[in-house]
Amino acid sequence: MDELASAAPPTIVLVHGGFVDGSGWEGVYRALHKQGCRVSIVQNPTLSLADDVAATRRVIAAAPGPVILAGHSYGGAVVTEAGNDPQVKSLVYIAAFVPDQGESVDTLIKHAPPGAPVPPILPPRDGFLLLDQQKFAAAFAADIPAEKARFMAASQVPWGMAALTGVVTAPAWKSKPCSYLVATEDRMISPVAQRGMAKRAGARVVEVAASHAVYLSRADAVASLIRKAVEALPAAA
C-alpha cells in the first residue's frame, strides 16, 4: 500500500480564507485540472483555527499520495499548521498570512507595517466578524467585476474570532519548501507585509498586479505558481 501511495501523483489541496468559501477556487481548479492535476478543495467552517486545520487534515488524509497545500489569506495560517502532516510536501501561499510559532492572524494584523491598509472589519457580533459590505469591493476585490464583488460582499461567511486569534504551534514552512504569490494591489494585507512574511519563510516569490482576490482575478497566475511547486517535487515525493 505504501508503495502504491508513493507512486500516486500529487494532490493539490486548496484552502480558502476568511469571509469566503471554497467555491472561489473554481478558476484555479479549472486551470489545474486542464493540466492534468488532481485537485481537492477544503470547505473550512472558519469557526476556529483548530477546526479549520482539522478540516484540512481530513482532505489531506483522503489524498492517495503526496500533497501540495495552498492557502489564500487566512488560509495561510491553516496550511502553516496543517502542513506538518507527513503527506504534505510543499506549501504555496497566495496573498496569505504566514504566522510563526506563537503567532496568529490577529498578531500579524496588529503588527502590520506603518501605512498598511486597514481591512474594513466590522466589530464582532456573537463572536463572528464580517467586512463592511460598502467597502468590500475596494478592500478585497477591486479587480473583480462590480456585480461579482457585490455578490461576494452580500454572501460573506462569518469569520469566527477563534479563527482570527488561533495560534500556530508548529510552522510547517520551517521544514518544508514553500512559494508565495504577492498581490501588489492588495488592500487587505499590505504587499510590504506579504514580502516580509515570504522572506521570513524562505519562500520562492512571484509578484502579480492584483487585488486580495487574486485567486479569482488572476487564477492563471495562481495556478502557474502551484504548478511550479508540483514540478519542483523530487521524483520520490
Side-chain angles (χ1 to χ4, degrees):
M1 187 67 177
D2 290 342
E3 292 179 1
L4 289 174
S6 65
T11 297
I12 297 159
V13 174
L14 304 175
V15 183
H16 66 83
F19 309 116
V20 296
D21 64 21
S23 65
W25 287 113
E26 183 176 3
V28 176
Y29 168 87
R30 289 180 181 274
L32 290 169
H33 192 261
K34 284 181 181 178
Q35 298 176 39
C37 298
R38 185 196 305 271
V39 185
S40 295
I41 298 168
V42 178
Q43 289 288 7
N44 283 322
T46 61
L47 298 175
S48 71
L49 179 62
D51 286 338
D52 295 336
V53 169
T56 301
R57 285 176 172 158
R58 286 193 291 272
V59 176
I60 293 169
V67 166
I68 302 287
L69 196 54
H72 171 255
S73 192
Y74 158 71
V78 179
V79 305
T80 295
E81 187 78 24
N84 291 295
D85 188 290
Q87 270 184 262
V88 176
K89 304 303 178 184
S90 183
L91 308 172
V92 182
Y93 293 93
I94 309 299
F97 292 102
V98 189
D100 201 345
Q101 183 176 4
E103 290 182 342
S104 65
V105 169
D106 189 47
T107 303
L108 295 171
I109 290 175
K110 287 178 177 176
H111 292 87
V118 179
I121 301 175
L122 297 171
R125 295 186 63 181
D126 299 324
F128 290 93
L129 301 166
L130 289 169
L131 294 177
D132 185 330
Q133 288 195 28
Q134 301 305 312
K135 299 177 181 179
F136 184 98
F140 196 106
D143 53 358
I144 298 298
E147 185 175 351
K148 174 70 172 178
R150 282 194 295 270
F151 175 78
M152 291 174 66
S155 62
Q156 291 180 63
V157 178
W159 190 26
M161 287 293 295
L164 174 72
T165 59
V167 170
V168 166
T169 62
W173 52 261
K174 289 194 173 181
S175 60
K176 298 184 181 182
C178 58
S179 306
Y180 196 107
L181 186 149
V182 174
T184 63
E185 308 304 312
D186 199 326
R187 301 297 297 171
M188 289 289 292
I189 306 175
S190 162
V192 173
Q194 292 183 39
R195 295 183 187 109
M197 290 184 288
K199 181 178 181 181
R200 180 173 70 173
R204 174 183 178 275
V205 177
V206 300
E207 299 204 1
V208 176
S211 75
H212 191 60
V214 60
Y215 67 110
L216 286 163
S217 63
R218 291 297 310 276
D220 57 337
V222 172
S224 176
L225 180 60
I226 293 171
R227 183 65 187 171
K228 286 182 172 65
V230 173
E231 292 168 353
L233 287 180

